[in-house]
Amino acid sequence: MSAALLQEHNTLLALQLEKILLAAFDRRQLGLLAGRHCWSLSVDALVLNGDGNLVDSAVLACRAALQAARLPAVSIEEGLEGSEIVLSEDPALARTLQCADLPVAVTLGLVSRPGALPTYFIDPTATEEACTHATLTAAFSPATLSCCYLQKHGSASVDPSILADMLQVAQGTAQTLLASL
């Protein structure tokens, strides 16, 4: 894979992660002093083996990283030059981020053949993705199992009735996945 194509894939993955996770993340929990100070939070996902379906895996990895993150307790001391943030060194006082509302993503591959009904399947590998005519990634909110993100890639169009079936299968898969987390 060329460097330019790899960079394009990286950019696309970062944008997808941002769209899926950022809308559901309550940024108010990063505040320290209303309107003045807050934590800056970044999540980097390093792909070690890109054997397909990176979005779903990266969403799960980011969810796990955010759930494991701990923010140190802070105190804010007012001084002559303004406020100063003092970090506690006591790990027992650190707090976790609330991540229960972060969605999970499910990707389906679609193969269309002339004269036959389209076939779709969950969690395509890189080899399977290369054979698909389209992939559909849907993200679902844990609380309501409503679809909060939908992206189709590939050249094939998706008939609305097939799309509804695919979303139903993806939603069931998301429900199973969420139950195991």
Side-chain angles (χ1 to χ4, degrees), residues 12-176:
L12 179 61
L13 180 60
L15 290 172
Q16 288 175 303
L17 289 173
E18 183 177 330
K19 287 179 182 177
I20 293 169
L21 296 172
L22 193 57
F25 184 78
D26 183 4
R27 288 170 270 183
R28 292 176 294 183
Q29 63 186 315
L30 299 176
L32 299 174
L33 184 60
R36 294 183 58 197
H37 300 287
C38 68
W39 288 104
S40 175
L41 179 66
S42 297
V43 177
D44 292 325
L46 175 63
V47 176
L48 298 176
N49 181 2
D51 190 25
N53 197 14
L54 294 179
V55 176
D56 302 7
S57 302
V59 166
L60 287 174
C62 289
R63 276 180 56 105
L66 290 169
Q67 288 172 332
R70 297 185 49 83
L71 299 178
V74 298
S75 60
I76 299 178
E77 299 176 0
E78 296 296 333
L80 296 175
E81 297 180 21
S83 57
E84 180 178 334
I85 298 171
V86 179
L87 300 177
S88 170
E89 293 183 18
D90 185 354
L93 298 176
R95 64 183 172 91
T96 59
L97 297 170
Q98 298 303 312
C99 300
D101 293 334
L102 293 179
V104 294
V106 177
T107 298
L108 295 98
L110 177 71
V111 178
S112 300
R113 294 169 301 199
L117 289 174
T119 302
Y120 55 89
F121 51 93
I122 300 169
D123 195 19
T125 65
T127 303
E128 292 168 337
E129 282 180 356
C131 298
T132 62
H133 298 102
T135 59
L136 182 76
T137 299
F140 296 90
S141 165
T144 61
L145 279 179
S146 60
C147 184
C148 57
Y149 173 86
L150 185 62
Q151 179 75 47
K152 182 192 87 65
H153 291 280
S155 59
S157 61
V158 180
D159 182 88
S161 64
I162 298 296
L163 176 61
D165 288 345
M166 290 175 77
L167 285 173
Q168 189 173 19
V169 168
Q171 185 181 46
T173 303
Q175 185 174 20
T176 302

